[in-house]
């Protein structure tokens, strides 16, 4: 393992150190601070980009479409990170733009509702409803019928949860979306009944801190009745067989490192094909630092390679 984060991260970590702690300033200021941090990375050109809506569980959700070119293409449904509390379409423009261009897939970024106003399971229900809607009518987005899901951090958790919901629905004979691939950037998937060394080793100073994770959890999981819910914490699921092939990206200086690695290993042990890329000198959220950190481009390329195999 690397002794310290990559030098390209130095300026970013300095900016983060000067930013307010989300748990100290509250939800609204945290959202504003996250938007400000996201503006640090440049935007990228894409053939066509436009805003629309997709069906959520209780009504339409805002969404943004990134088309890399003309013609019918496979669709990646993307869910942004932000601890289920912060983030939105604007904060992940750059990631979606680069994924569209690199993969040749149309990317549809879905603005699911956030906690604490909408705690678990609402964001997951929104995500799954969006997957159902887009999969049922891919032609609305000039799709060719192939659909994948992806996201980073909290969004990767929603992607994993959506694949589990789809598999389980199909297993009992219900209509379920056909998901070709799951792209998981540093997924939040740990069980509350397990301890992970990376949460201790990387508790402070590396962008996502243990205290912030605890605050996110308080906003998102507002009832102890969800503690053993595998759709909340996929590592609680005993059998992961039958899930779509996966690309899993983890980072060495990430408190979520060990659970992401464990999830990749659990998928593999249940005969799910997994491409796991580990970036030992990176921090949580590094893929968002496109144009600043070389590993971010490499991780986008890894995601594009996984999607290409799913066509």
């Amino acid at each position: 393992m690397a002794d310290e984060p990559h030098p390209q991260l130095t300026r970013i970590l300095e900016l983060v150190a000067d930013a307010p702690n989300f748990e100290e300033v509250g939800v609204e200021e945290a959202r504003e601070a996250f938007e400000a941090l996201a503006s640090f990375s440049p935007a990228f050109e894409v053939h066509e980009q436009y805003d629309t809506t997709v069906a959520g569980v209780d009504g339409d959700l805002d969404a943004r479409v990134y088309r890399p070119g003309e013609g019918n293409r496979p669709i990646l449904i993307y869910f942004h990170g932000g601890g289920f509390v912060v983030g939105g379409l604007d904060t992940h423009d750059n990631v979606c733009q680069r994924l569209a261009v690199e993969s040749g897939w149309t990317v549809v970024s879905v603005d699911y509702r956030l906690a604490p106003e909408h705690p678990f399971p609402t964001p997951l229900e929104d995500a799954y409803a969006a997957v159902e809607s887009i999969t049922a009518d891919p032609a609305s987005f000039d799709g060719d019928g192939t659909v994948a899901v992806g996201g980073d951090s909290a969004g990767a958790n929603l992607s994993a949860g959506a694949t589990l919901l789809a598999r389980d629905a199909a297993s009992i004979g219900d209509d379920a979306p056909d998901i070709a691939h799951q792209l998981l950037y540093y997924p939040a998937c740990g069980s509350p009944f397990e301890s992970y060394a990376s949460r201790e080793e990387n508790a402070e100073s590396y962008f996502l801190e243990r205290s912030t994770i605890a605050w996110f959890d308080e906003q998102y999981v507002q009832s102890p009745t969800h503690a053993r819910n595998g759709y909340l914490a996929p590592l609680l699921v005993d059998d992961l067989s039958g899930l779509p092939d996966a690309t899993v990206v983890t980072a060495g200086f990430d408190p979520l490192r060990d659970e992401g690695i464990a999830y990749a290993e659990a998928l593999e042990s249940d005969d799910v094909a997994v491409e796991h890329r580990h970036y030992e000198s990176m921090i949580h959220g590094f893929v968002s630092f496109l144009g600043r950190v070389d590993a971010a481009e490499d991780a986008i390329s890894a995601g594009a390679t996984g999607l290409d195999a799913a066509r």
Side-chain angles (χ1 to χ4, degrees), residues 286-298:
F286 77 92
V287 178
S288 289
F289 302 128
L290 288 157
R292 311 287 182 179
V293 177
D294 293 342
E297 285 287 354
D298 190 80

Side-chain angles (χ1 to χ4, degrees), residues 212-226:
T212 306
I213 295 172
W215 182 72
F216 284 150
D217 288 344
E218 288 174 4
Q219 314 309 307
Y220 186 49
V221 187
Q222 297 182 13
S223 170
T225 60
H226 298 309

Side-chain angles (χ1 to χ4, degrees), residues 31-136:
R31 289 171 179 167
E32 292 173 4
F34 193 72
E35 292 271 357
L37 282 173
S39 67
F40 179 73
S41 294
F44 299 92
E45 289 188 6
V46 64
H47 174 74
E48 182 182 15
Q49 178 175 319
Y50 63 90
D51 289 346
T52 185
T53 60
V54 298
V57 70
D58 292 321
D60 287 345
L61 302 169
D62 290 336
R64 185 165 294 162
V65 178
Y66 308 80
R67 296 188 66 224
E70 300 293 341
N72 294 338
R73 294 172 180 268
I75 297 171
L76 170 65
I77 305 169
Y78 196 87
F79 303 107
H80 67 80
F84 310 100
V85 178
V86 303
L89 300 180
D90 293 342
T91 62
H92 286 68
D93 257 343
N94 60 344
V95 173
C96 294
Q97 290 160 348
R98 293 301 299 147
L99 278 171
V101 171
E102 286 293 311
S103 69
W105 289 50
T106 291
V107 177
V108 181
S109 179
V110 177
D111 202 16
Y112 58 92
R113 290 172 292 176
L114 298 176
E117 299 92 336
H118 304 284
F120 180 83
T122 298
L124 177 57
E125 292 172 339
D126 276 346
Y128 188 63
V131 173
E132 288 185 303
S133 172
I134 294 169
T135 304

Side-chain angles (χ1 to χ4, degrees), residues 241-261:
S241 62
L243 292 176
D245 294 353
T247 301
V248 180
V249 170
T250 53
F253 290 91
D254 182 0
L256 303 186
R257 177 194 69 209
D258 289 352
E259 60 204 76
I261 293 172

